[in-house]
Amino acid sequence: MQHNQNLLSTTMNMKQKILLLTVCLCATLTTYAQDPNFYIFLCFGQSNMEGAAQPEPQDLEGVSPRFLLMPAVDDPARNRKMGEWCKALPPLCRPNTGLTPVDYFGRTLTENLPENIRIGVIHVAIGGIRIEGFMPDEISNYVKNAPGWMVGMLKAYNDNPYERLVSLAKKAQKDGIIKGILMHQGESNTGEPDWANKVQNVYDHLLGDLQLKPEEVPLLAGEVVQANGQGQCIAMNKQIDELPKTLHTSQVISSTGCSNGPDKLHFDAAGYRELGRRYGEKMLELMGYHVRSPFTVPEDAFTAETTVPGNEFPKIDKEHRAYFRVVAPTANSVILDICGKKYDMRRDQQGVWCAVTDPLVVGFHYYFINIGGMNVIDPATETFFGCNREAGGIEIPEGDEGNYYRPQLGAAQGQVRSIYYYAQSTQEWRHAMVYTPAEYEKGKKRYPVLYLQHGMGEDETGWSKQGHMQHIMDNLIASGEAKPMIVVMESGDVKAPFRGGDNRQGFSEYGASFYKVMTNDLISTIDSKFRTLTDRDHRAMAGLSWGGHQTFDIVLNNLDKFAWMGAFSGAIFGLDVKTAYNGIFTRPEEFNKKVHYLYLSCGSEENFGTEALVKNLRDAGIKTDFYVSPGTHHEWLTWRRCFRQFVPHLFK
């Protein structure tokens, strides 16, 4: 009997061991399949969670492959299938929805978490849905009484958005760990005192159905649109702010300063980006991760030379990224607009907005700060006339190769004078800038004159402020490469925007009022006020962009007054060498005799047709010198280089 009992005991022990081994194996397999470094977040709510802003180009770029979406609906156009992980590009909710806070929640996490951690989101949201639409015990009745415009959206989730969220969450739990719940809802329940209890109901059901612990899975609830106190549902924010009194594991995400659309109900794209970042930063804080500052300035960054003395910013680092800061405590949206790209500036609690750019190309760049839809000048930067108005500007410095446009100790410094003169042609006082070489003050020598024009939307200060013309001249004269000369810069009547009209070569309307000023007033004024050589052989004209267009129009219609000419990125489009300017290009011997030097140039990265123009002129027998600035666009660095190459050929 005892023997049988021992045998039975041994048999049971063997079965228990096998069972225990099986359990351990299963547990091992389960642990292996579930990645503890795959953090999953459930996202639900109404229209602002759904996304009401059209994604912009920046929202479709730079998304980490570590940021994934488990679609809650099929999206054949994007080859997305419900329940299958894919890259988290907008729209995250459904086809035809927009940018949401979750887009930049995921970006913020991937930017700040270790590289081995992935982020996954499950996103279920319906515009206009009340919180009852996510309460398991209320959904059936809610769907029966839902407004007609919501029916299609509900059907996308099989008339049960809560069940869709939970079923996908269960599937996602096989892959990773649910770390949090994001909610943006409340507009449709504004003023209802039991809203917080209903949110608690949804939260508790999620935790129960997914076997989650509340201390490990916080709920992040975002405030609604504020619109400077004019938000359509702003009263709801008081209830949202008090949610933690009911739901102790909830966190409120402030919408202060998040910009909105004209309906004052939905955020705009910039607002979604900022709100999403705040969701992300709060989640990182709760998980114990250090949040990188959006405005960490490297130690090697230096204050830009174009910064107003007494200011620390803008700054530039060794990678040519620029750092900007502006104080605008009551602003809802501040955007940096530079080099054809816009950057949403980030606001701190003191109302200081900051932004850092991508690496910028060397040279001078105009930029604006857009506050509330209006472009303003950064008060910390010097101003420059460009873009048809005063503008901010920043210089991204070259290395020693840029010394030709910087003052040098070994070069005597000339002067740039400001003069006013009365033009009989237009019956008005006008302004010009005049460079005189350093030696001009010593003696009675007379000098040749170069009339130098800027481009469309700029003014007579451009060549001396943005172009550093005077330093280029001083250095070339000091090295013996250029003859001492006087350089005259006038507005050219192209400060105002181009408003249409005939602008064929020789028939220009834009800036044409300057032509008679030049020939009848400006030349005679300069010859009377300065010691000039007054014959055509000692008079030149050149210009950049539209100034090049003006140069062609003026010089080629007044060859009795000019013998030297140049155009840098000249806006000389569609020139017919057979007919333009009374057919002068069809008489190459006459042209080459009268024009001692014709110079055309451009940047290698711009497309102004200069190379084709040069070919046409050369084919016609016109002697034409041609220079291409390597690696530059339609910009001041191109024109500095062009000017530097042009001047040594004059008056020799």
Side-chain angles (χ1 to χ4, degrees):
M1 181 69 175
Q2 184 67 41
H3 173 74
N4 290 337
Q5 287 180 341
N6 289 339
L7 182 60
L8 179 62
S9 175
T10 302
T11 302
M12 291 182 66
N13 286 338
M14 287 294 293
K15 289 181 178 178
Q16 289 172 346
K17 288 179 180 179
I18 291 171
L19 178 62
L20 180 62
L21 180 60
T22 302
V23 169
C24 290
L25 266 172
C26 290
T28 302
L29 288 172
T30 301
T31 303
Y32 177 79
Q34 187 184 56
D35 182 359
N37 291 321
F38 188 16
Y39 295 175
I40 296 166
F41 298 89
L42 312 183
C43 312
F44 76 96
Q46 56 185 103
S47 55
N48 273 311
M49 181 59 81
E50 184 183 65
Q54 185 70 23
E56 298 173 358
Q58 62 181 295
D59 307 316
L60 303 171
E61 301 170 351
V63 178
S64 171
R66 294 160 46 223
F67 181 26
L68 302 174
L69 167 71
M70 179 179 279
V73 297
D74 289 336
D75 187 349
R78 296 177 178 83
N79 198 29
R80 293 177 178 176
K81 293 184 179 180
M82 181 177 67
E84 296 184 6
W85 293 109
C86 63
K87 189 173 181 179
L89 287 170
L92 302 183
C93 189
R94 299 187 309 279
N96 302 318
T97 57
L99 192 68
T100 88
V102 180
D103 285 286
Y104 280 79
F105 167 81
R107 287 183 183 232
T108 302
L109 263 59
T110 54
E111 289 168 2
N112 286 275
L113 290 171
E115 290 290 327
N116 64 319
I117 294 178
R118 294 179 298 154
I119 302 300
V121 294
I122 302 171
H123 195 286
V124 175
I126 295 176
I129 196 169
R130 294 168 57 84
I131 192 63
E132 289 85 350
F134 290 98
M135 295 172 62
D137 298 333
E138 298 287 339
I139 290 172
S140 179
N141 288 332
Y142 184 80
V143 170
K144 290 178 183 178
N145 298 292
W149 52 264
M150 192 184 292
V151 171
M153 292 185 282
L154 286 166
K155 285 189 178 299
Y157 302 113
N158 200 28
D159 286 337
N160 197 327
Y162 175 85
E163 176 58 31
R164 181 64 55 86
L165 184 63
V166 169
S167 63
L168 293 178
K170 288 180 178 179
K171 183 176 183 180
Q173 282 181 305
K174 298 176 183 179
D175 301 320
I177 309 297
I178 294 177
K179 286 285 189 176
I181 301 170
L182 279 60
M183 181 187 77
H184 197 283
Q185 197 281 333
E187 293 95 335
S188 295
N189 294 88
T190 300
E192 296 181 11
D194 59 347
W195 175 79
N197 291 324
K198 293 177 179 179
V199 173
Q200 174 88 59
N201 177 286
V202 177
Y203 178 72
D204 288 345
H205 274 91
L206 285 171
L207 295 188
D209 289 341
L210 298 171
Q211 300 181 31
L212 302 172
K213 297 178 180 179
E215 63 272 18
E216 295 177 355
V217 185
L219 174 77
L220 277 58
E223 290 183 335
V224 301
V225 165
Q226 297 193 24
N228 282 331
Q230 302 298 314
Q232 294 283 353
C233 301
I234 194 171
M236 188 62 194
N237 280 343
K238 185 176 187 299
Q239 294 173 264
I240 296 172
D241 293 344
E242 293 179 352
L243 180 62
K245 294 180 180 180
T246 301
L247 181 52
H248 303 304
T249 56
S250 66
Q251 300 285 333
V252 176
I253 309 302
S254 171
S255 66
T256 300
C258 293
S259 54
N260 55 273
D263 62 4
K264 300 181 182 178
L265 180 64
H266 298 99
F267 298 99
D268 61 12
Y272 284 123
R273 294 181 198 116
E274 180 59 28
L275 188 63
R277 293 184 187 107
R278 294 179 186 180
Y279 272 100
E281 289 166 0
K282 174 55 68 175
M283 195 67 231
L284 287 164
E285 176 187 322
L286 295 174
M287 292 191 297
Y289 287 95
H290 173 70
V291 180
R292 295 176 196 153
S293 167
F295 199 67
T296 301
V297 183
E299 293 183 2
D300 64 4
F302 56 90
T303 301
E305 65 182 70
T306 39
T307 301
V308 173
N311 291 277
E312 186 179 359
F313 293 90
K315 282 189 168 185
I316 305 164
D317 68 18
K318 66 180 181 180
E319 302 297 330
H320 295 157
R321 295 180 181 88
Y323 300 78
F324 297 85
R325 185 172 66 185
V326 63
V327 179
T330 62
N332 284 330
S333 171
V334 180
I335 298 170
L336 169 68
D337 187 347
I338 182 171
C339 293
K341 185 169 182 177
K342 296 180 179 180
Y343 299 85
D344 292 322
M345 300 189 77
R346 299 292 312 279
R347 183 187 190 277
D348 68 13
Q349 295 302 314
Q350 287 71 47
V352 178
W353 297 77
C354 303
V356 57
T357 70
D358 296 333
L360 302 173
V361 297
V362 295
F364 175 86
H365 308 290
Y366 298 113
Y367 75 94
F368 293 97
I369 303 293
N370 187 289
I371 301 179
M374 176 178 287
N375 280 342
V376 300
I377 302 171
D378 182 353
T381 191
E382 298 284 357
T383 58
F384 305 83
F385 196 91
C387 309
N388 309 111
R389 56 167 291 181
E390 293 289 347
I394 187 169
E395 183 78 29
I396 308 300
E398 287 189 283
D400 289 344
E401 67 272 21
N403 285 343
Y404 71 92
Y405 59 79
R406 301 181 182 119
Q408 302 295 315
L409 289 175
Q413 305 302 302
Q415 296 182 23
V416 177
R417 309 169 187 229
S418 171
I419 70 165
Y420 287 86
Y421 68 102
Y422 190 77
Q424 291 289 345
S425 300
T426 54
Q427 299 290 297
E428 63 181 346
W429 284 96
R430 297 178 66 101
H431 182 237
M433 308 296 291
V434 181
Y435 166 84
T436 55
E439 66 177 46
Y440 184 85
E441 309 305 316
K442 307 173 184 177
K444 298 181 180 180
K445 178 181 175 181
R446 291 186 174 273
Y447 295 87
V449 183
L450 165 63
Y451 290 85
L452 184 63
Q453 292 304 116
H454 53 84
M456 183 184 296
E458 295 167 332
D459 75 354
E460 63 273 19
T461 64
W463 268 110
S464 54
K465 289 194 72 174
Q466 293 96 293
H468 303 310
M469 171 278 310
Q470 65 276 31
H471 304 316
I472 300 174
M473 287 300 310
D474 292 339
N475 295 333
L476 288 174
I477 292 170
S479 66
E481 294 177 74
K483 283 185 172 294
M485 67 186 75
I486 294 170
V487 182
V488 180
M489 297 150 282
E490 224 266 19
S491 76
D493 295 341
V494 292
K495 293 170 68 172
F498 175 68
R499 302 192 186 282
D502 190 345
N503 279 294
R504 291 172 295 158
Q505 285 73 30
F507 299 91
S508 299
E509 294 179 18
Y510 179 64
S513 55
F514 173 61
Y515 297 175
K516 57 186 177 182
V517 171
M518 167 73 96
T519 56
N520 297 335
D521 301 291
L522 182 57
I523 291 175
S524 59
T525 297
I526 296 302
D527 286 345
S528 66
K529 289 181 177 290
F530 295 88
R531 300 195 309 274
T532 64
L533 294 167
T534 60
D535 61 303
R536 67 178 298 275
D537 288 330
H538 293 91
R539 191 177 297 128
M541 185 175 180
L544 68 89
S545 193
W546 200 259
H549 183 116
Q550 291 183 309
T551 296
F552 265 56
D553 279 3
I554 291 175
V555 171
L556 296 176
N557 283 317
N558 296 276
L559 286 171
D560 59 323
K561 295 180 173 63
F562 299 90
W564 314 77
M565 61 185 294
F568 321 145
S569 311
I572 307 163
F573 307 125
L575 184 145
D576 185 345
V577 296
K578 296 180 180 179
T579 61
Y581 306 110
N582 297 315
I584 185 62
F585 298 124
T586 64
R587 305 188 297 277
E589 290 185 8
E590 177 187 347
F591 181 93
N592 294 333
K593 182 178 180 181
K594 288 184 175 180
V595 178
H596 302 330
Y597 184 63
L598 169 60
Y599 170 89
L600 297 177
S601 59
C602 62
S604 64
E605 306 307 305
E606 60 182 323
N607 184 22
F608 256 51
T610 306
E611 186 173 1
L613 175 60
V614 170
K615 182 180 185 305
N616 289 339
L617 291 172
R618 287 176 173 172
D619 288 347
I622 303 299
K623 293 181 180 178
T624 309
D625 201 0
F626 182 42
Y627 167 76
V628 177
S629 167
T632 59
H633 296 75
H634 201 68
E635 57 181 288
W636 275 103
L637 185 55
T638 294
W639 305 322
R640 293 172 189 169
R641 292 176 177 176
C642 294
F643 181 75
R644 187 256 176 273
Q645 297 296 324
F646 172 64
V647 170
H649 296 276
L650 296 180
F651 311 122
K652 293 183 177 179

